[in-house]
Amino acid sequence: MKISDMIKSGKPTLSFEVFPPKTSDAYEKVAGAAYKIADLKPDFMSVTCGAAGTTDSYTALIASEIKNKHSVEALQHYTCINVTRENVLKKLEFSKKNNIDNILALRGDIPENYDKDADHDFKHASELIYFIKEHSDMCVGAACYPERHPESPDVKSDIAHLKEKAEAGCDFITTQMFFDNNVLYKYLYKIREAGIYVPVIAGIMPVTNAKQIKRIMSLSNAEFPSKFMNIIDRFGPDNDAMLQAGIIYACEQIIDLIANGVDNIHIYTMNKPEVAGKIQESLSGIIPSCQNK
Ligand code: FAD
């Protein structure tokens, strides 16, 4: 099923992101956690990929298992880095053969020593989106950044480039994580004002240990509200308390989002089935698929 059709149904949805292993030794542990999350029967699951295509075969395998063995819709991530048109056509053929209906088309983070201005087949996600749409009937998603992509000089150019992704035909956009819902509400206003009407899925990261904060800071421009920082300061040193507080903070964000009409929520699970399960449990009266287990 296409994610665009799920969104059109108008019911709130909850989906989970998982990542693949980097090496074969880690397959059992990492993929095993992803399959436990699949057994929670969310609306769909996305499977990330390494920026330079390093985990592509595991991404494809895990997405296929989620869809065909665990009966959960899969969203397979594709990136542009080091990828040719021919590679993408082959990947599309493989995805189609594995009953994958949904692709998240990204540029990927630029690896060290990569000349981003060289003559690559795909420089930006919008080019990949256009190509996939031209060569398949996949439902295609894209990424957006309520607090601006770190490479964008300003919000205006960031939104102008998001518009290119919408014009290339993307069916939905998933946000980078944010910790203050007002940031998202203001962003939605700005993108709609810029003529971008593509459905937006809110990306939520449950922060369940204080160490995650450093990584989040390196990945995004996220601002942390004082309510959130107080939680980290008070509970960060105590693992059990931080786990509980992080899950409750994420659930409060989600309840507020749905109350304000942002019905489609994607959780960055970091492959933690217990976190995904607890969030689902807490929302069982609010999101229909949370009663699926
Ligand atoms: P783009 O849309 O190409 O934008 C990248 C930068 O270029 C932005 O600053 C944009 O404003 C600018 N830009 C866009 N078009 C143009 C243009 N025509 N001219 C000049 N500038 C332009 N990374 C992975 O490696 N693997 C994953 O699986 C993955 N999953 C992700 C999932 C989500 C939901 C999100 C939010 C991010 C994910 N990322 C992933 C990270 C993402 O790849 C990086 O943030 C990357 O740096 C940008 O990707 P993009 O698709 O947004 O790129």
Side-chain angles (χ1 to χ4, degrees), residues 254-266:
I254 295 167
I255 291 167
D256 178 73
L257 287 166
I258 295 177
N260 282 285
V262 180
D263 279 343
N264 306 105
I265 312 290
H266 195 54

Side-chain angles (χ1 to χ4, degrees), residues 15 35 44 83 92 99 110 113 117 147 152 166 256 275 287:
S15 51
Y35 302 144
F44 69 88
V83 163
L92 281 172
N99 306 315
I110 304 283
N113 304 324
D117 300 318
E147 288 165 283
S152 293
D256 178 73
V275 172
I287 301 182

Side-chain angles (χ1 to χ4, degrees), residues 17 46-52 59 77-81 104-110 116 123-127 129 142-145 148-154 157-162 164-165 173-177 203 219 266 268:
E17 178 186 279
S46 69
V47 188
T48 67
C49 61
T59 300
H77 291 203
Y78 283 25
T79 56
C80 298
I81 309 287
L104 193 73
L106 303 141
R107 185 197 64 187
D109 283 320
I110 304 283
K116 67 174 186 172
K123 277 195 183 158
H124 293 289
S126 53
E127 294 161 25
I129 294 164
C144 72
Y145 304 85
R148 186 173 59 78
H149 185 270
E151 288 167 38
S152 293
D154 51 54
S157 80
D158 201 72
I159 291 180
H161 293 311
L162 180 65
E164 287 164 11
K165 298 199 247 196
I173 34 187
T174 305
T175 74
Q176 180 60 285
M177 64 192 81
L219 278 178
H266 195 54
Y268 298 112

Side-chain angles (χ1 to χ4, degrees), residues 191-203:
I191 65 170
R192 301 307 186 215
E193 199 181 39
I196 302 169
Y197 300 109
V198 178
V200 173
I201 300 182

Side-chain angles (χ1 to χ4, degrees), residues 147 178-183 213 217 222-236 242 245 249 252-253:
E147 288 165 283
F178 57 91
F179 298 92
D180 178 350
N181 288 355
N182 286 325
V183 165
I213 293 291
M217 282 174 163
E223 288 280 340
F224 301 108
S226 56
K227 179 182 170 187
F228 178 84
M229 287 319 293
N230 292 342
I231 288 174
I232 300 287
D233 289 344
R234 178 73 172 83
F235 303 116
M242 190 59 230
Y249 189 92
E252 283 182 356
Q253 261 195 288

